[in-house]
Amino acid sequence: MIDLKKAKVVYKPTIENAKEYASNIAKKLGCEFCTINEITNSASVIIVIGGDGTLLRCVRYASEYDIPVFGFNMGRLGFLSQADLKEEDYVLEKLLNGDFRIEERLMLSDTKGNTALNDIVIKNAEYTKTSELELLINNKPVCSYLADGLIISTPTGSTAYNLSAGGAVIAPEIECITIVPICAHTLSARPIVVSADDTITIRLHSKSKYFLISDGTSKDIEETSVTIKKHTKKAELILLNSENKSFYDVLRTKLHWGVAPGEK
């Protein structure tokens, strides 16, 4: 059992009413609440009030200290969050009764010290130009892409940018990494799924400026190559034991996957 009195309820200050919701939940659990910049590693669990971006930031921090994370959605899609705030009492009862499980999720790291639960993206900073990007797996050349960039995604991130770029939806318990070109200038370029134990290297073959984007956080790339591999730590997400909270239920309700036109 997790000691919820040592939990931290974390909110994003720029979201309207997020502080009030965080204060109310913390009061019911008998714990403290704080902003995302005030998290400490003494928390037994982090309960996030915000969107997927806020949750991803908290997960990257929490994973370093093996702290599990649960999310209440106040964003648009909230695919990673397990509940909406209208379910507050139901969720808190589940948490207090220990009616949940902790699921470990694969994360990525790169040579610049970034970590990501969803994806690491390499993009040309000059948006009007395509890039020549060479892919190596375990130091062996695989292919070259003429594209706007590459998405290196975990199964958790397969429903994010990866999905928008034509990558496959992958069940989160599968240990693999997906590589998807962005707007490739060829008919032969296809997404590829590789083992989570593989080392992925991207060589940059132009003098253009590039961005390295880890779960939405962007940095300039000064090197001529970037290496990405499985992170030594895993994210720990709290999932409710509920009939309508499975991965496939979330696909149907939030992405309308497999829903025929006119069906509700």
Side-chain angles (χ1 to χ4, degrees):
M1 291 286 291
I2 295 175
D3 185 358
L4 291 174
K5 293 187 182 300
K6 295 182 179 179
K8 284 289 176 67
V9 184
V10 176
Y11 68 95
K12 187 176 181 179
T14 56
I15 297 180
E16 186 178 1
N17 298 324
K19 183 176 181 179
E20 289 73 17
Y21 280 116
S23 174
N24 181 56
I25 291 172
K27 183 177 180 180
K28 289 181 178 180
L29 294 177
C31 65
E32 298 178 344
F33 68 98
C34 64
T35 67
I36 194 168
N37 296 320
E38 297 170 332
I39 306 174
T40 64
N41 59 17
S42 62
S44 62
V45 60
I46 294 173
I47 299 174
V48 182
I49 312 296
D52 281 345
T54 308
L55 190 142
L56 287 169
R57 282 187 63 189
C58 288
V59 164
R60 290 199 298 272
Y61 175 86
S63 65
E64 296 299 318
Y65 304 100
D66 303 316
I67 302 172
V69 176
F70 181 87
F72 280 101
N73 179 42
M74 286 192 75
R76 286 177 295 178
L77 182 60
F79 194 87
L80 292 174
S81 301
Q82 270 280 290
D84 296 321
L85 284 162
K86 63 184 179 182
E87 303 174 279
E88 177 186 318
D89 290 337
Y90 166 79
V91 169
L92 295 184
E93 182 181 359
K94 287 271 189 182
L95 294 177
L96 288 167
N97 292 335
D99 193 9
F100 61 85
R101 65 191 184 279
I102 297 176
E103 190 170 283
E104 292 187 338
R105 297 287 183 89
L106 173 74
M107 296 182 70
L108 301 175
S109 62
D110 61 45
T111 45
K112 291 182 71 68
N114 304 302
T115 61
L117 172 59
N118 266 358
D119 50 47
I120 294 176
V121 180
I122 298 172
K123 293 189 75 172
N124 196 324
E126 300 180 56
Y127 296 109
T128 58
K129 293 184 178 180
T130 55
S131 305
E132 185 180 352
L133 305 165
E134 184 181 0
L135 170 66
L136 295 87
I137 297 176
N138 301 326
N139 292 320
K140 296 179 180 179
V142 176
C143 60
S144 293
Y145 298 100
L146 190 61
D148 287 351
L150 284 178
I151 304 167
I152 316 300
S153 171
T154 67
T156 300
S158 70
T159 52
Y161 198 3
N162 167 82
L163 179 64
S164 300
V169 174
I170 298 175
E173 66 269 18
I174 298 174
E175 288 272 306
C176 65
I177 300 171
T178 305
I179 304 164
V180 180
I182 305 169
C183 298
H185 197 70
T186 174
L187 294 176
S188 61
R190 293 290 184 271
I192 181 172
V193 179
V194 302
S195 167
D197 294 319
D198 286 340
T199 298
I200 298 163
T201 301
I202 311 298
R203 288 180 182 166
L204 312 175
H205 284 278
S206 73
K207 296 181 180 179
S208 298
K209 181 180 177 181
Y210 288 90
F211 290 140
L212 184 67
I213 307 166
S214 305
D215 280 351
T217 301
S218 179
K219 293 182 180 179
D220 294 343
I221 302 177
E222 299 177 354
E223 300 81 2
T224 57
S225 68
V226 176
T227 297
I228 299 166
K229 60 176 64 176
K230 177 173 68 175
H231 190 28
T232 55
K233 292 282 190 176
K234 288 193 174 183
E236 296 185 13
L237 300 184
I238 292 179
L239 305 180
L240 301 178
N241 293 326
S242 176
E243 292 181 358
N244 64 346
K245 295 293 184 181
S246 74
F247 172 70
Y248 300 104
D249 287 316
V250 175
L251 280 181
R252 285 180 63 85
T253 57
K254 295 196 175 182
L255 294 183
H256 308 293
W257 178 70
V259 179
E263 183 181 344
K264 294 183 179 180

